[in-house]
Amino acid sequence: MSTPLDFSYETRPVRVVFRPGGAVSATPGEAARLGLRRLLVVCGSRGEAIARLVADALGDACVGLHAGARMHVPVEVVGRAVEVARAAGADGCVAVGGGSAIGLGKAIALRTGLPLMAVPSTYSGSEMTPVWGLTEHGVKRTGRDPVVQPRSVVYDAELTLALPVPLSVTSGVNALAHAAEALYAPDASPLVSLMAEEGVQAMAGALPLVAAAPDSLEARSRALYGAWLCGACLGATTMGLHHKLCHVLGGTFGLPHAETHTVVLPYVLAYNASAAPDAITALSRALDTHDVPRALRELAGGLGAPRSLAELGLKEPDLTVATAQTVADSYANPREITANGVLGLLTAAYEGWEPRSDA
Ligand code: NAD
């Protein structure tokens, strides 16, 4: 090793239970461990059936089910959910579903201080982070607060059996993006880097198996295991250019979250490659490739994921607007962020060109 070790590492008090069937078999016990007896279950409208199973399993420890989660956590939605939680006398929440449902649970925790539990059903990783997001007047704000970090997370691969293959693939690459950026984060540390490499290997290995056999519990478990590790990386580090770009593209142009991550990631890694050689080496090992950007693009594209921002509905004039918004804000990235560089990257991603690592 050429550079001396210099890092800080913090763990947060989160308990993780990873078990097929755990949504029903483990959630009540987790609630009891936390001393929670009056839980409000929150979910999105399409996730109600799964959330109902959790609510039923909680029995008397559940005071209601609120299926009001919406994408990007609009403040009105939060206001209503907080009223429901207060009216029910809830002493905590259980968010069941993807990043949107967990986002609502976090927003309730932020407003009320109520402890949160999470039963994720996608690979978004939100359950492992103290990061919240709220949308007001069309603008999404995010922040970090330990109060929103779920105290207990139950990973149940059976819940993910119904996750459609296209969403499984893009949600999986969304997870890979967390791990990739954690490897070159300013607050990277050896343990997080090990989790990142293992997470990428697990997820990248699992996605083709999930696509070939969506109802394989083994493949789903492997993908969810990767999602856990990648989510833990997201929670532990500061994200860079990739997450910033996806935030701009989602927030300003309404592009879909996981698909945008999937299209953009190879281009950001090509852009950052020369400035983050150790991260690229770790990703090369995890993906078993000499060309990380191309391998990622082939992995997702080969499984039917979109390959260009144009396919996602971005328009050519949006490229300069997105570039200006991206460079206006300073944030951590291994390679200097220039307007020309970002415009070049976005243009390549817009057209869906082969990603090229350049200096
Ligand atoms: P999502 O929660 O919006 O879910 C996408 C769709 O999939 C929804 O229609 C949902 O009903 C459906 N779905 C979810 N699980 C399913 C299942 N098992 N079977 C069938 N359908 C299912 O999307 P997402 O990608 O999970 O999350 C994206 C959101 O999470 C974004 O708003 C993003 O900003 C946020 N996020 C936040 C963090 C954080 O740390 N705060 C991290 C990652 C993502």
Side-chain angles (χ1 to χ4, degrees):
M1 191 172 294
S2 50
T3 45
L5 287 172
D6 178 350
F7 64 89
S8 47
Y9 173 75
E10 190 184 328
T11 45
R12 282 182 306 277
V14 49
R15 212 178 112 83
V16 169
V17 177
F18 198 100
R19 179 182 306 153
V24 166
S25 67
T27 310
E30 290 305 295
R33 280 182 79 100
L34 292 167
L36 301 174
R37 295 189 183 83
R38 300 185 58 79
L39 284 157
L40 178 69
V41 174
V42 297
C43 62
S45 56
R46 283 164 60 186
E48 200 170 338
I50 289 175
R52 176 70 57 197
L53 293 176
V54 174
D56 289 348
L58 285 167
D60 291 345
C62 175
V63 292
L65 188 156
H66 180 67
R70 289 226 322 267
M71 236 166 76
H72 304 310
V73 199
V75 283
E76 319 80 74
V77 162
V78 177
R80 273 197 296 282
V82 167
E83 276 170 28
V84 171
R86 289 203 171 121
D91 63 1
C93 285
V94 187
V96 183
S100 299
I102 296 167
L104 176 59
K106 286 178 163 181
I108 297 171
L110 189 66
R111 283 266 183 94
T112 62
L114 290 177
L116 178 64
M117 297 171 57
V119 184
S121 67
T122 70
Y123 308 135
S124 85
S126 177
E127 66 283 353
M128 291 306 294
T129 84
V131 178
W132 52 265
L134 275 176
T135 303
E136 189 166 20
H137 307 307
V139 180
K140 186 163 181 178
R141 287 183 296 129
T142 60
R144 293 179 92 91
D145 191 323
V147 79
V148 310
Q149 166 73 59
R151 314 283 169 95
S152 173
V153 179
V154 177
Y155 283 104
D156 178 352
E158 284 180 9
L159 295 191
T160 62
L161 292 172
L163 193 63
V165 167
L167 183 56
S168 302
V169 172
T170 54
S171 189
V173 180
N174 183 194
L176 294 180
H178 308 328
E181 291 225 295
L183 284 164
Y184 55 58
D187 40 10
S189 61
L191 186 54
V192 173
S193 297
L194 285 171
M195 290 195 293
E197 192 171 329
E198 171 76 0
V200 170
Q201 191 172 23
M203 182 61 84
L207 288 179
L209 305 176
V210 165
D215 53 358
S216 157
L217 192 58
E218 202 182 325
R220 291 291 189 176
S221 286
R222 190 88 187 131
L224 196 60
Y225 163 71
W228 165 50
L229 291 172
C230 294
C233 294
L234 174 69
T237 56
T238 308
M239 296 288 105
L241 176 61
H242 172 78
H243 281 73
K244 173 69 187 182
L245 278 171
C246 293
H247 194 96
V248 167
L249 293 168
T252 305
F253 305 100
L255 263 56
H257 180 81
E259 289 91 331
T260 305
H261 274 269
T262 302
V263 171
V264 172
L265 185 63
Y267 299 96
V268 173
L269 291 180
Y271 182 84
N272 279 340
S274 61
D278 292 348
I280 294 296
T281 302
L283 291 170
S284 302
R285 274 196 304 263
L287 295 167
D288 193 19
T289 179
H290 295 298
D291 188 339
V292 169
R294 186 182 294 207
L296 276 173
R297 185 168 177 275
E298 285 317 309
L299 171 70
L303 298 175
R307 290 178 187 262
S308 75
L309 293 176
E311 275 176 75
L312 301 184
L314 198 73
K315 302 281 172 252
E316 205 170 345
D318 300 338
L319 296 174
T320 46
V321 182
T323 299
Q325 285 188 12
T326 303
V327 297
D329 226 359
S330 68
Y331 46 90
N333 192 63
R335 182 172 164 198
E336 191 193 354
I337 294 170
T338 61
N340 267 345
V342 172
L343 185 59
L345 183 171
L346 280 176
T347 304
Y350 173 78
E351 300 282 356
W353 291 331
E354 192 76 25
R356 282 184 202 288
S357 305
D358 52 12

